[in-house]
């Protein structure tokens, strides 16, 4: 090898410069092409918080409302359901969580959760399954009256949406 | 192969053309004088059948796209509009919907034929892997097409399948939201599935070209699994293979027509004639029949991520088949043990399919677990070991000897 051939030439510089600019350009072009698939401005705007009046919901009744295209279950739990939810050895659960962490303090009767099975996204059926909580018909996941996973392929408890009590009978979800 | 004459254009236009774009010569050498093994049986007609089904799906699909509306408020009604109002719309849609099933039926026979006769072995590994890619593309296309009518099964199939990606740690939820274009399956999802369902068949057509190219480089396998050695072992593609493919295709199309005209909804689900309802999941959801074995594998694993990995692995493992099968003998005709294990494997796949349609409870789950274990054991234990312990039958000296010799081996 001669000294001249080892030295960078103008052609080497052009190869590297062209390749670099091309690679950066290709990567930059990918950004909008990938980003356009994400939720658009209209979808995000339509995902604004909603208010729900709890007044008409009877004890023992489960009401479904939609927020961001997801069904939200509002369960006005009975005394028996609350006791069942509380009377569980938390350590024995697949996804350990006490019932108190899944309701707002002092509002034990109101349980608000996202009614989407954490396995593959089906809608569980309320007041069914061996724990009288929720049962997913797709692949047989069973949740208790607190929405905690008890058996079946679902990995975690039914998730809770962000929500707060505006008054004793009104909540805002989102 | 020597001895086959080269293309000599007869008329003036083809002579003019041949000097500028030698497409006549390409067709002549690939589909007229191309030497095919003389002992090919009817299991070898499914490549041609699959090519026909791809073309048929593209033609009927383009027609359906002229009448279909990809919007959550109109999709279901536009499909009913096709069924009731569009001239022959019922026929074209039933051809397309049943055509998908026939396409998968043909591809499964084609794949099992490749497994029986060892068509994936050296030097056909790339040909086989291209086939696995085609199969994956078919699965994606079929799934997205099933979503388009926007019935209950469409919607919940879209939900369940896209949620498979939520099993991916950390980024899973972001990927699912990206796939949906929203917080749940909705109009953006339907729109993009429609776009991709239109695109993917043409990607499939492109990979088919590579598949056929690779085939024509290495040559066709045959029931003996030994390579043609002389002109006595082969016949010209036209007329021999052409007419055999055409006859096989005609018989296959009779079966297709029987489904289309006499039981067009037999392979579908009645629930898909209910418009999509995001608030209610049908109590018994199952995928189309051609995905059932994989669905059974998914449900057999009592862990979300594990189930998804098993589902993916059950398909990806096919690509490694050329290296998992350690036997040097290709055809099962000369592999007495493999032949038995092959049929057990076929039975296991059908059994998984049957279990995939059953509810995920009790004995069904246990059976699905046993068959899932066997499915993987076939690839990673049985096939590698068989190559070592199996005593294969003697191979014939040539293809023509295997046919013409009185006491032919294998059979």
């Amino acid at each position: 090898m001669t000294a001249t051939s080892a030295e960078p030439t103008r052609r080497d510089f052009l190869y590297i410069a062209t390749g670099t600019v091309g690679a950066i350009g290709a990567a930059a072009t990918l950004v909008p092409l990938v980003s356009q698939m994400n939720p658009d401005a209209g979808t995000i705007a339509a995902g604004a918080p909603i208010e729900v009046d709890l007044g008409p919901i009877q004890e023992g009744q489960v009401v479904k409302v939609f927020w961001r295209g997801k069904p939200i279950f509002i369960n006005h739990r009975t005394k028996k359901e609350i006791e069942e939810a509380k009377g569980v050895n938390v350590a024995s659960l697949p996804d350990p969580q006490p019932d108190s962490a899944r309701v707002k303090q002092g509002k034990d009767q109101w349980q608000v959760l996202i009614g989407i099975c954490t396995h593959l996204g089906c809608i569980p059926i309320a007041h069914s399954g061996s724990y009288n909580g929720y049962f997913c018909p797709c692949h047989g996941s069973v949740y208790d009256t607190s929405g905690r996973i008890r058996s079946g392929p679902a990995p975690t408890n039914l998730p809770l949406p962000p929500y707060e009590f505006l008054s004793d009978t009104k909540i805002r979800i989102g | 192969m020597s001895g086959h004459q080269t293309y000599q254009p007869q008329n003036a236009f083809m002579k003019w053309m041949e000097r500028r774009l030698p497409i006549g010569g390409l067709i002549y050498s690939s589909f007229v004088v191309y030497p095919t093994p003389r002992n090919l049986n009817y299991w070898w007609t499914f490549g041609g059948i699959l090519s026909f089904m791809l073309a048929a799906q593209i033609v009927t699909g383009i027609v359906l796209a002229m009448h279909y509306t990809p919007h959550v408020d109109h999709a279901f009604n536009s499909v009913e509009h096709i069924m009731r109002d569009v001239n022959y719309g019922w026929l074209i849609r039933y051809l397309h919907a049943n055509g998908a099933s026939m396409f998968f039926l043909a591809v499964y026979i084609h794949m099992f034929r490749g497994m029986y006769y060892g068509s994936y072995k050296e030097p056909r590994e790339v040909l086989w892997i291209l086939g696995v890619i085609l199969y994956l593309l078919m699965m994606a296309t079929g799934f997205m097409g099933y979503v388009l009518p926007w019935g209950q099964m469409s919607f919940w199939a879209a939900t369940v399948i896209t949620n498979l990606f939520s099993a991916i740690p950390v980024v899973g939820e972001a990927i699912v939201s990206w796939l949906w274009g929203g917080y749940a399956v909705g109009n953006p999802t339907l729109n993009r599935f429609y776009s991709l369902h239109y695109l993917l068949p043409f990607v499939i057509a492109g990979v088919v070209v590579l598949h056929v190219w690779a085939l024509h480089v290495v040559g066709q396998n045959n029931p003996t699994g030994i390579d043609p050695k002389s002109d006595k072992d082969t016949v010209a593609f036209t007329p021999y293979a052409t007419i055999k493919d055409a006859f096989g295709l005609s018989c296959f199309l009779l079966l297709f027509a029987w489904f289309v005209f006499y039981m067009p909804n037999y392979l579908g689900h009645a629930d898909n004639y209910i418009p999509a309802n995001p608030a209610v999941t049908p109590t018994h959801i199952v995928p189309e029949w051609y995905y059932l074995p994989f669905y059974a594998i998914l449900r057999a694993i009592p862990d979300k991520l594990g189930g998804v990995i098993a589902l993916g692995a059950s398909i990806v493992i096919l690509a490694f088949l050329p290296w998992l099968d350690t036997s040097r003998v290709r055809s099962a005709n000369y592999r007495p043990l493999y032949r038995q294990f092959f049929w057990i494997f076929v039975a296991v796949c059908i059994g998984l399919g049957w279990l995939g349609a059953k509810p995920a409870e009790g004995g069904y789950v246990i059976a699905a677990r046993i068959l899932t274990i066997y499915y993987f054991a076939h690839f990673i234990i049985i096939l590698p070991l068989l190559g070592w312990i199996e005593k294969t039958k003697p191979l014939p000296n040539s293809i023509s000897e295997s046919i013409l010799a009185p006491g032919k081996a294998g059979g």
Side-chain angles (χ1 to χ4, degrees), chain A residues 78-103:
Chain A
T78 60
K79 291 250 168 2
K80 181 166 166 283
E81 286 175 329
I82 297 168
E83 278 162 24
E84 279 173 4
K86 287 188 183 299
V88 172
N89 176 12
V90 171
S92 71
L93 297 172
D95 183 10
Q97 213 177 13
D99 187 59
S100 57
R102 298 181 55 79
V103 292

Side-chain angles (χ1 to χ4, degrees), chain A residues 45-79:
Chain A
I50 56 166
E51 290 183 7
V52 182
D53 183 9
L54 304 179
I57 304 173
Q58 301 296 311
E59 190 174 289
Q61 193 182 8
V62 178
V63 167
K64 273 185 213 175
V65 296
F66 274 86
W67 173 68
R68 293 190 167 182
K70 299 177 199 289
I72 309 292
F73 289 178
I74 303 172
N75 186 356
H76 191 170
R77 297 192 293 183
T78 60
K79 291 250 168 2

Side-chain angles (χ1 to χ4, degrees), chain A residues 13 21 33 52 56 66 68 71 82-83 92 117 120 122 134 162:
Chain A
F13 173 77
V21 172
L33 287 176
V52 182
F66 274 86
R68 293 190 167 182
I82 297 168
E83 278 162 24
S92 71
C117 181
L120 294 174
C122 296
Y134 306 87

